[in-house]
Amino acid sequence: WSIALGGSVVVSAIANPWALIALLPIVICCHFLRQRCLRTSREVKRLEAIARSPVFSQFSASLQGLTTIHAARAEEQLQEKFHRHLDEHSQGWLSYLGTSRWLASRVELISWMYSVVFSYSALLVFDYGDSLNLDAGTLGLSIAYMMSIFGYLNWVIKSSADVENLMTS
């Protein structure tokens, strides 16, 4: 993926060198967003892992003591307790998914803003950039590659954040 990302940046930069001016602040902004999200999602992932332990613990104990549970007719009581543990775990898991989606939506918003800047700069380069000798096909190619940059960028940021969260919790 990183080779495809680099190739997309190079093709876009060759067709529209002015686009690189706006790309650096966007990469820096995405990095800071990732760091901010990681602080929160790391703690939420730890809470989710803490809430996961009672779910597996009770499930394992219920399987081992199944005959005793049936003999004591405690199925409903243990089922309610299991559902409480499962609800607590689901709260942590949904919070973790929410932080991940928060990051993805912010990166997509930044990508959208960059695409507007890139498209307008492509129009300006095409209209006033006679020294670059660019045709409409080259600029169209650069816009197409620029759109793929955002998919790669979103994937790279999300994957690196997920890996870091999985490694710390």
Side-chain angles (χ1 to χ4, degrees), residues 89-100:
H89 172 258
S90 295
Q91 289 173 356
W93 179 248
L94 289 174
S95 296
Y96 173 70
L97 291 178
T99 58
S100 179

Side-chain angles (χ1 to χ4, degrees), residues 134-146:
L134 296 175
D135 60 347
T138 305
L139 288 177
L141 178 69
S142 70
I143 290 173
Y145 270 97
M146 182 270 312

Side-chain angles (χ1 to χ4, degrees), residues 9-162:
V9 169
V10 168
V11 168
S12 296
I14 288 172
N16 186 359
W18 296 105
L20 288 179
I21 294 171
L23 187 62
L24 183 64
I26 287 174
V27 169
I28 291 170
C29 185
C30 286
H31 174 73
F32 285 123
L33 275 175
R34 180 186 170 276
Q35 294 301 329
R36 180 177 179 195
C37 182
L38 273 177
R39 284 192 302 265
T40 303
S41 65
R42 191 178 304 129
E43 294 303 318
V44 170
K45 185 70 173 165
R46 282 191 184 128
L47 291 173
E48 183 266 331
I50 291 168
R52 185 182 338 131
S53 179
V55 172
F56 289 120
S57 175
Q58 183 173 354
F59 184 73
S60 175
S62 295
L63 285 179
Q64 290 175 355
L66 199 55
T67 55
T68 307
I69 292 169
H70 286 304
R73 298 184 192 270
E75 294 97 348
E76 285 189 30
Q77 178 186 7
L78 288 174
Q79 187 177 11
E80 289 175 13
K81 185 177 179 185
F82 181 74
H83 285 164
R84 279 195 307 272
H85 290 311
L86 202 57
D87 286 343
E88 290 171 4
H89 172 258
S90 295
Q91 289 173 356
W93 179 248
L94 289 174
S95 296
Y96 173 70
L97 291 178
T99 58
S100 179
R101 190 61 213 150
W102 180 89
L103 176 63
S105 65
R106 296 312 186 270
V107 171
E108 288 171 9
L109 178 67
I110 290 171
S111 300
W112 176 80
M113 289 189 296
Y114 180 69
S115 68
V116 169
V117 169
F118 187 89
S119 297
Y120 280 121
S121 69
L123 289 174
L124 290 174
V125 166
F126 185 69
D127 287 343
Y128 302 111
D130 292 334
S131 64
L132 296 175
N133 294 330
L134 296 175
D135 60 347
T138 305
L139 288 177
L141 178 69
S142 70
I143 290 173
Y145 270 97
M146 182 270 312
M147 295 301 234
S148 69
I149 289 172
F150 304 127
Y152 295 136
L153 183 64
N154 202 354
W155 180 83
V156 166
I157 289 173
K158 184 181 177 339
S159 296
S160 66
D162 286 345

